[in-house]
Amino acid sequence: MTMPVLLLTDALILLLLAGVVGYFYFVSRRPQMRATWMRVTESPSGMAALVVLFAYLVVGLLDSVHYRPVLEAKDPKAATVYSVEVLSLLDVLASPLRERQERTYSAPFDTRAYSKETIEIPGTDGAPGKQVREFPRLQFGGVHLALESERDRDILVTALRGFSLAFALWLALAALLSAVLARGSAISSSETMRRIWRGETRVPWSAVLIMLGLLLAIGGPVITLCTRYHVLGTDKVGQDVMYLALKSIRTGLVIGTLTTLVLLPLAVVAGVTAGYFRGWVDDVVQYVYTTLNSIPGVLLIAASVLLMQVYIDTHPDLFPTSVQRADLRLLFLCIILGLTSWTGLARLLRGEVLKLREFEYVQAAQAFGVGHSRIISRHILPNVMHVVLISLVLDFSGLVLAEAVLSYVGVGVDPSMTSFGTMINAARLEMGREPMVWWSLAAAFVFMFVLVLAANLFADSVRDAFDPRIRVRGPAMQKG
Amino acid sequence: MLAYIIRRMLYAIPILIGVNLITFALFFVVNTPEDIARMQLGAKRVTPEAIEKWKGEHGYDKPLLYNAAANGTDKISDTIFFDKSVRLFVFDFGNADDGRSIGHEISTRMWPSLALALPTFLIGLLFNVTIALLMAFFRATYLDFWGVVLCVAMMSISGLFYIIGGQYLISKLWNLVPISGFSGGFDAFKFLALPVAVGVIGGVGSGARWYRSFFLEEMGKDYVRTARAKGLSENVVMFRHVLQNAMIPILTGVVVVIPTLFMGSLISESFFGIPGLGSYTIDAIQAQDFAIVRAMVFMGSVLYIAGLLLTDISYTLVDPRIRLE
């Protein structure tokens, strides 16, 4: 048996996931909210982005289920001892990547190390051995090859195998989709398929399928190649860069999502009460957010993180494993980011509520003697939810980008935790090497770019669907 | 007008007191000077004497808020709060942990920061507004569509990549300008060209898209329709009516950042080795020099509040409908 470990961020992610599921259940029972969300699903770029985000989410969630493996005991009667190493499901799935660690740098797909080493060649028949300087063969990358010259052919064959598997999977998924869509209607599933391709469905399934096909076309070959080569090369200590990039995803997602968990209650409570009650409540809230806003954001974050660092250093006994310490630091970072960034949303909400409270239906409710809390929850909150939602999805990509900068400044995540920021930070020094090590930076760039781009596109389609100002504009304005 | 400005400046005082209290709480109450001393001195086995000595050298050996041992007004003034926080109000920043005067450092490092931040800001603004105007002019065409796509793609790239990419391409591959460094006089140009270019390009994505939405919103208004109905050409509508009116939110939005330009850019300065306030702050954060961080927090707040004041004044200048009472 293994010992499951529930890190604090894991628990909060599960909570957040439950919240999102609950929200969509809530939405599905309210026709007008469902209609707005349906508009999100009508945007091809939004749906394609959603597919990508979903892929990232799966990786992040797999990486959020942790456990401590049992150490193999020599004495079968002894009590089970758990390893201090905390693993996640992703680590298990990616164990070919995790365990095949080289000694140092190697380029993508290379079979030999990136720098020369002195190798002892044993002499034959008692003759003295000699030393040569050469690029040593890697311990794992392409080690199955008898001849290194066969490498290119082998890569092609392996990639094709992965591609055909992915293609078969994609065909199956497309068939499944059209079967599901055709179910309960008079149209046959082949006709549904044709309609999907012509873009005649209300939800742009063709965009979803194309994006899915693209992901599978890249993912399939990469997965089969990963078991034989280091597709993205290895880093300074010989770790597979692909593995590091996959591990970074969770960090980025945690920062982008958990921060909102802190930010949301603060912003909603402060903004809504300030706008609704006005008077001294408004003065206090405005004072607090002007004060917080006037402190330069990075400095406030840096100061808080430094102080947290002092706390962690002086209380080493609180953290049984280094993963738990890094995790707590990540959580603190989210809390700090949340505490420093709620002001923008609070200000927006305050302005919106100031307008709303003058509306006739609110005044009617007041005239009927409805209590403040009821007016807020029934009449005010539902009507500002679009502001909250839009700003949350817009914030996500900004937070992922902020993590990279903060890690560079040295106030980001724990150095032992892989993140896009720590990858870029390490890669910066590698760029100065001769010959240059470019693959870590390229990997961080691609993984981060795709995530942030997808988040931005999805945020745009959410905003287009929810922003009431955009709906009233003419059709010519809506384009783009 | 003058009365308004004076009132606004008085309003800034409670905010600065608030900033001061927050930083004081962060630096001295949540973590006591003991903790800081222990961290500065490094090793886990520090003797209490060493801590006392460090605190004495850096002026942390006083009571936090109230000195019962002192006489008269010294009861209040001979404390850490008075020494470290209240003095900031008269811009007396004291010394850094390495003994150098923070005030002097700020006054010399301000200029390189400004030399980088001001051109980046001005050229960037011009660039963004021009591109946004172009996209709005060609709205709902392929040019606009691909422009927006490009903007979204560019704003999805972390600023760090622009810097690393720029340094690699321009400096390492093409050898056009030095990778990093700074010097005074006209030589500064060759050191500043790349950081400024990188700063401008890095900001185009979000900036141009943001301003484009201002222009489009303005173009949906009734007076624009009236202008077109009068038979004015699209050029006149765009440049005389829309541009001028859209400049109101744009200008007032950017005025707030002008004073904070003095603070410099943290990332860009440290990558390009420019000895400005940004790299000073980063070095302080990495060396965990709390005195400098505290001073910079205070400076930043003062400048931000100045920016807010300037914003309000600029409203009256560009929008004659607004009168400050």
Side-chain angles (χ1 to χ4, degrees), chain B residues 296-316:
Chain B
M296 297 312 288
V297 167
F298 186 75
M299 278 278 291
S301 318
V302 171
L303 292 171
Y304 177 81
I305 291 167
L308 287 183
L309 182 61
L310 281 181
T311 306
D312 282 352
I313 296 172
S314 70
Y315 266 124
T316 57

Side-chain angles (χ1 to χ4, degrees), chain A residues 54-289:
Chain A
F54 196 72
Y56 273 86
L57 190 68
V58 168
V59 175
L61 285 179
L62 281 177
D63 203 8
S64 297
V65 183
H66 289 97
Y67 71 94
R68 280 162 76 171
V70 178
L71 286 182
E72 278 175 42
K74 291 196 183 80
D75 179 10
K77 272 169 277 175
T80 44
V81 182
Y82 297 104
S83 159
V84 288
E85 190 184 24
V86 178
L87 292 179
S88 73
L89 277 187
L90 182 77
D91 292 328
V92 180
L93 290 176
S95 48
L97 290 175
R98 185 169 54 92
E99 283 159 5
R100 300 182 323 141
Q101 191 165 354
E102 307 291 346
R103 271 205 301 278
T104 180
Y105 292 118
S106 69
F109 292 113
D110 220 341
T111 56
R112 288 179 175 268
Y114 200 56
S115 52
K116 283 187 176 173
E117 277 175 33
T118 310
I119 293 171
E120 197 105 14
I121 294 180
T124 44
D125 301 333
K130 58 178 179 179
Q131 290 182 333
V132 285
R133 297 272 303 162
E134 65 161 20
F135 298 104
R137 273 294 286 265
L138 293 179
Q139 283 165 292
F140 300 101
V143 77
H144 63 288
L145 296 171
L147 283 171
E148 278 173 75
S149 53
E150 285 173 1
R151 190 191 66 160
D152 294 352
R153 212 180 65 86
D154 183 62
I155 289 175
L156 196 69
V157 169
T158 318
L160 273 179
R161 208 177 58 223
F163 185 78
S164 43
L165 282 175
F167 189 64
L169 181 63
W170 182 72
L171 283 182
L173 283 173
L176 186 70
L177 176 71
S178 42
V180 169
L181 286 180
R183 198 182 50 131
S185 70
I187 313 157
S188 71
S189 75
S190 57
E191 175 60 22
T192 316
M193 183 66 113
R194 223 164 290 135
R195 288 192 181 180
I196 290 175
W197 281 122
R198 289 200 217 106
E200 287 165 5
T201 47
R202 194 188 54 77
V203 177
W205 289 113
S206 56
V208 173
L209 281 180
I210 290 173
M211 200 64 231
L212 198 65
L214 209 64
L215 280 183
L216 284 172
I218 299 169
V222 164
I223 289 174
T224 47
L225 283 168
C226 269
T227 53
R228 299 185 161 183
Y229 298 95
H230 299 293
V231 175
L232 290 174
T234 55
D235 74 344
K236 191 174 180 184
V237 290
Q239 273 185 305
D240 197 305
V241 173
M242 179 63 104
Y243 174 68
L244 294 179
L246 287 176
K247 292 290 277 184
S248 301
I249 290 175
R250 176 178 186 266
T251 317
L253 290 181
V254 166
I255 292 202
T257 53
L258 286 195
T259 303
T260 60
L261 213 58
V262 182
L263 174 156
L264 199 60
L266 276 175
V268 170
V269 169
V272 171
T273 50
Y276 183 77
F277 292 111
R278 297 192 294 194
W280 66 268
V281 184
D282 192 18
D283 288 341
V284 170
V285 170
Q286 278 203 64
Y287 171 73
V288 170
Y289 73 56

Side-chain angles (χ1 to χ4, degrees), chain B residues 7-46:
Chain B
R7 209 172 63 234
R8 279 300 304 263
M9 285 170 103
L10 289 179
Y11 182 62
I13 293 175
I15 292 178
L16 282 178
I17 292 176
V19 169
N20 238 333
L21 285 177
I22 290 177
T23 40
F24 180 76
L26 273 179
F27 285 104
F28 295 110
V29 182
V30 180
N31 286 284
T32 55
E34 254 97 315
D35 289 336
I36 297 170
R38 196 164 291 135
M39 197 174 63
Q40 289 286 337
L41 295 171
K44 286 220 166 69
R45 282 187 291 275
V46 228

Side-chain angles (χ1 to χ4, degrees), chain A residues 287 307 408-409 428 431 460, chain B residues 14 26 172 209 270-271 286:
Chain A
Y287 171 73
L307 299 171
Y408 168 74
V409 181
R428 203 168 53 88
M431 294 292 285
D460 276 1
Chain B
L26 273 179
K172 205 174 163 199
R209 209 172 79 118
S270 82
F271 261 99
Q286 278 163 359

